[in-house]
Amino acid sequence: MEKHEQRSRKKKSFGVSGLALVGGGIMAAALIAAFAYIQVGRSYQKVFFPKTVINGMDVSKKSVMEVKKMIALTIDDYKLTLQERGGTTEEIKGMDIGLEAVFDGKLESLLGEQKPLSWAKHLRKPQSFEIGTMIQYDENKFDTVVSGLSCLKVEEEDKAQNASISDYVSGQGYQIKPARDGKELNPEKLKSEISNAVMDLKPELNLDEAGAYISPKVPTNDPGLVSKVQAMNKYVNTTITYNFGDEKKVLSGDTISKWVKTDDSGKVYLDSKSVSDYVKELASTYDTAYKAKNFTTSTGQNVKITGGSYGWRINQSAEADELAELIRSGNSQVREPVYKQRGASRGAKDYGNTYVEINLTAQHIYYYKDGKLVVESDFVSGNESKGWSTPAGAYSLTYKERNATLKGENYRTPVDYWMPFNGNIGLHDAKWRSTFGGSIYKTSGSHGCINLPPAVAKTIFENISAGIPVLCYHLPGTESLTTSNGTGKKDETKGAQQPTTQAGTQPTTPAATHSTTQAATQPATQPTTAAPTTAAPTTAPAATTPTTVSAHPSFDQEAGPGSSKSSGKNKSGPGM
């Protein structure tokens, strides 16, 4: 058997030449790849990298010229649609405003700044550029087109309305009228927003979103406006109810609203003159002082008493101040006004049923207390022949004083009971007289005072107080020619016989409708001091020693028919 020699299975080595061949292939491939990469990169020297956006346009692998053509194409057919309030629209065409492309080298600059060999990374990473204006328009054409837009022509009622305060509504007060958006545009803002949209080649522009409309200057929730309405409503929601006896006068917002004003700075205030005028009107309506009074006399006859100051009188200045403060504070209330002086009661008979009634014609006096006759008597009033007649009118007793000295230019007369009611005219005892009434006053009357029998003066003094009405009047037809001496007896030598008029008795002819108790009815409650029963002496001693003139020498300087000396105050009285 032929033997075969066993062959070795050892690997063959390529050697140096083999390695060179393999390495050369790899390098060749790498060189080819590098060359290809570089070649591709070189192409980006003339075109923009992939995923490149310029001013919103995809310009990937586009040359500068191609980009310019893209821009030119968009401009040729460009139009801007304006979205306006109310759903209306308008268009602005590029050709109408002379729109055209402007190429100032910026595209070339962007391309030149590219690094071609970095093109591969831009396959994954996009880049975006915003460059300056690449288009332009004719400004004159642009202004003409914009100024001619219909949206700029707005009727007055379509303009923005500021929030404001409503008119006063009775029972509701004031409210804020909401602000209202209008259709009026701000021309400058409109022009600017349209220009920006055109330069960005935007297809539409919402004028509302662009803030081109004029907004109300005062919004509905304006703090100053809210505060102002609150202040005004505080004023008009105040109700002041005035009580005038059975009558009521209600001051409400219907009237107060006319007094509410605002100054130049918008601050709310209350017109003080209007408040004062209102109080003045109250006084004119409800004051009774200085006004004529219809009076039913003790004889049943009616008389109108004019003159004098008795009655209700509002302190207008003080009341206006208080009323204004109440309104400002919103403090509703029921109240009486501030008075300078008060009457006894409200209504036509403001003198009430406690008063002194003086019939100057009949020379007869009555004093009623709570509607009941306390005392009546003849008297002697001011000397008519010398011009010292006691004036008629409604007055109130100023004060009363015991043991006063009345003085004038040439006399000093002490009296036991002094009761002034009209300046230096008053009621007082006249111890020096033995007869009263009749026509004594015409030639032998006093300096203006009411001279009374001492006992009558005492009775009145002890039952009267300051503020009591004193009603003096003339009543033709009630004249008396007879006189009395304070005892109830008539002096027949003084004249023809007249109906007896006695001190301390009821009148012969009572008033049918007088006060609570008619004059003919004997008072249920007797006065503190009864009417006199004996004649008053010509010179009657005072109950206590009167103050002498020398005790108050300063009174000697006082002019006038009489003064009280005991109080140290200047209290004038007409004297005898």
Side-chain angles (χ1 to χ4, degrees):
M1 175 181 288
E2 185 179 354
K3 291 183 181 180
H4 296 281
E5 185 178 353
Q6 188 175 2
R7 294 181 178 177
S8 176
R9 292 186 178 271
K10 291 183 181 179
K11 294 180 181 180
K12 295 182 178 180
S13 173
F14 289 101
V16 173
S17 61
L19 289 172
L21 181 61
V22 172
I26 293 173
M27 289 181 65
L31 287 173
I32 291 171
F35 178 77
Y37 185 87
I38 292 171
Q39 286 298 105
V40 172
R42 286 178 178 175
S43 69
Y44 285 108
Q45 290 177 340
K46 296 181 179 180
V47 297
F48 290 99
F49 283 145
K51 296 187 178 181
T52 299
V53 175
I54 297 177
N55 287 6
M57 295 185 296
D58 186 1
V59 296
S60 302
K61 298 183 179 180
K62 297 288 193 299
S63 68
V64 170
M65 185 57 66
E66 288 174 322
V67 173
K68 289 180 178 180
K69 287 181 179 180
M70 288 174 63
I71 294 173
L73 285 174
T74 58
I75 291 174
D76 288 343
D77 296 327
Y78 176 76
K79 64 180 179 180
L80 175 64
T81 301
L82 304 178
Q83 301 289 343
E84 302 166 358
R85 280 182 180 172
T88 58
T89 61
E90 290 186 77
E91 289 183 348
I92 296 178
K93 295 180 179 180
M95 65 179 68
D96 293 337
I97 61 174
L99 188 66
E100 62 181 0
V102 176
F103 303 109
D104 57 359
K106 290 183 180 179
L107 287 172
E108 287 83 355
S109 295
L110 280 177
L111 185 62
E113 291 172 0
Q114 288 188 161
K115 296 179 179 180
L117 295 182
S118 65
W119 63 271
K121 71 177 182 180
H122 291 289
L123 294 174
R124 300 183 307 274
K125 183 179 179 182
Q127 61 179 352
S128 178
F129 299 98
E130 293 291 332
I131 65 174
T133 303
M134 293 188 303
I135 57 176
Q136 69 179 13
Y137 55 76
D138 185 308
E139 290 192 7
N140 291 331
K141 291 182 178 180
F142 180 84
D143 289 345
T144 300
V145 170
V146 172
S147 61
L149 290 171
S150 298
C151 59
L152 286 173
K153 301 176 178 64
V154 181
E155 298 295 333
E156 189 66 30
E157 61 269 18
D158 288 331
K159 293 182 179 181
Q161 298 292 321
N162 291 330
S164 60
I165 299 175
S166 69
D167 292 334
Y168 171 78
V169 178
S170 181
Q172 298 180 25
Y174 297 95
Q175 297 179 344
I176 294 178
K177 296 168 65 175
R180 189 185 73 186
D181 292 330
K183 297 180 180 180
E184 184 181 13
L185 290 154
N186 182 328
E188 293 303 316
K189 179 68 173 175
L190 175 66
K191 181 178 178 180
S192 174
E193 292 298 325
I194 292 177
S195 176
N196 292 337
V198 168
M199 299 309 290
D200 291 339
L201 296 178
K202 290 183 178 179
E204 65 179 34
L205 174 64
N206 187 309
L207 299 184
D208 219 343
E209 293 176 359
Y213 288 98
I214 295 177
S215 299
K217 294 180 180 179
V218 182
T220 303
N221 61 349
D222 179 73
L225 192 65
V226 171
S227 176
K228 186 175 178 180
V229 168
Q230 290 174 343
M232 295 172 73
N233 279 333
K234 183 169 70 172
Y235 290 176
V236 300
N237 288 335
T238 303
T239 300
I240 305 296
T241 302
Y242 282 102
N243 275 340
F244 295 102
D246 294 335
E247 292 188 59
K248 296 185 184 300
K249 178 70 172 179
V250 178
L251 172 62
S252 67
D254 292 352
T255 298
I256 297 173
S257 62
K258 300 173 185 177
W259 306 346
V260 178
K261 310 290 182 182
T262 54
D263 60 20
D264 293 339
S265 65
K267 183 178 180 181
V268 178
Y269 70 94
L270 200 63
D271 182 49
S272 58
K273 184 178 184 304
S274 297
V275 177
S276 296
D277 287 346
Y278 180 81
V279 174
K280 183 177 181 180
E281 182 181 343
L282 287 181
S284 176
T285 303
Y286 296 101
D287 278 4
T288 60
Y290 302 101
K291 292 183 178 179
K293 305 181 190 304
N294 293 316
F295 178 70
T296 301
T297 68
S298 293
T299 61
Q301 296 170 275
N302 293 325
V303 66
K304 178 176 285 189
I305 301 176
T306 58
S309 61
Y310 183 83
W312 297 90
R313 186 183 176 196
I314 295 174
N315 186 329
Q316 296 184 36
S317 176
E319 179 57 27
D321 288 344
E322 289 200 16
L323 177 58
E325 186 57 34
L326 289 174
I327 295 172
R328 293 189 189 101
S329 64
N331 186 12
S332 298
Q333 62 175 242
V334 177
R335 66 182 274 107
E336 282 191 334
V338 180
Y339 286 107
K340 279 190 174 180
Q341 63 184 52
R342 294 172 173 267
S345 63
R346 274 294 176 185
K349 296 181 179 180
D350 63 350
Y351 43 82
N353 56 9
T354 296
Y355 55 84
V356 176
E357 176 186 347
I358 298 176
N359 185 335
L360 294 169
T361 305
Q363 293 283 287
H364 202 76
I365 187 172
Y366 308 84
Y367 176 47
Y368 291 91
K369 188 173 184 179
D370 296 326
K372 298 175 181 178
L373 182 64
V374 174
V375 67
E376 66 169 297
S377 171
D378 287 338
F379 63 80
V380 176
S381 63
N383 192 319
E384 185 177 84
S385 65
K386 294 185 177 181
W388 298 340
S389 295
T390 304
Y395 309 95
S396 60
L397 195 73
T398 311
Y399 62 94
K400 66 179 183 178
E401 183 177 5
R402 282 282 277 127
N403 303 322
T405 297
L406 310 180
K407 74 181 184 67
E409 293 181 0
N410 55 4
Y411 67 88
R412 277 162 176 65
T413 306
V415 296
D416 294 338
Y417 306 102
W418 169 232
M419 296 165 279
F421 60 84
N422 176 16
N424 54 10
I425 295 175
L427 305 165
H428 64 78
D429 53 301
K431 298 181 290 290
W432 53 92
R433 292 188 184 276
S434 59
T435 56
F436 300 86
S439 59
I440 297 173
Y441 73 98
K442 292 185 177 181
T443 56
S444 299
S446 69
H447 288 80
C449 281
I450 303 298
N451 288 183
L452 296 170
V456 173
K458 182 176 186 292
T459 298
I460 294 176
F461 186 92
E462 293 177 348
N463 287 275
I464 203 168
S465 59
I468 297 299
V470 179
L471 309 177
C472 305
Y473 61 86
H474 295 284
L475 185 58
T478 60
E479 297 87 349
S480 174
L481 298 179
T482 60
T483 60
S484 63
N485 58 12
T487 63
K489 296 180 180 180
K490 289 293 183 179
D491 186 344
E492 301 299 334
T493 65
K494 297 295 182 181
Q497 182 70 32
Q498 295 292 327
T500 303
T501 303
Q502 298 177 346
T505 63
Q506 294 94 354
T508 304
T509 307
T513 59
H514 193 277
S515 303
T516 304
T517 305
Q518 296 179 349
T521 305
Q522 182 68 27
T525 305
Q526 295 297 323
T528 304
T529 304
T533 57
T534 59
T538 302
T539 303
T544 59
T545 304
T547 306
T548 61
V549 175
S550 59
H552 297 279
S554 62
F555 281 92
D556 295 345
Q557 301 173 8
E558 297 296 324
S563 295
S564 165
K565 308 306 264 182
S566 63
S567 67
K569 297 181 179 179
N570 298 344
K571 297 178 180 179
S572 298
M576 300 169 60

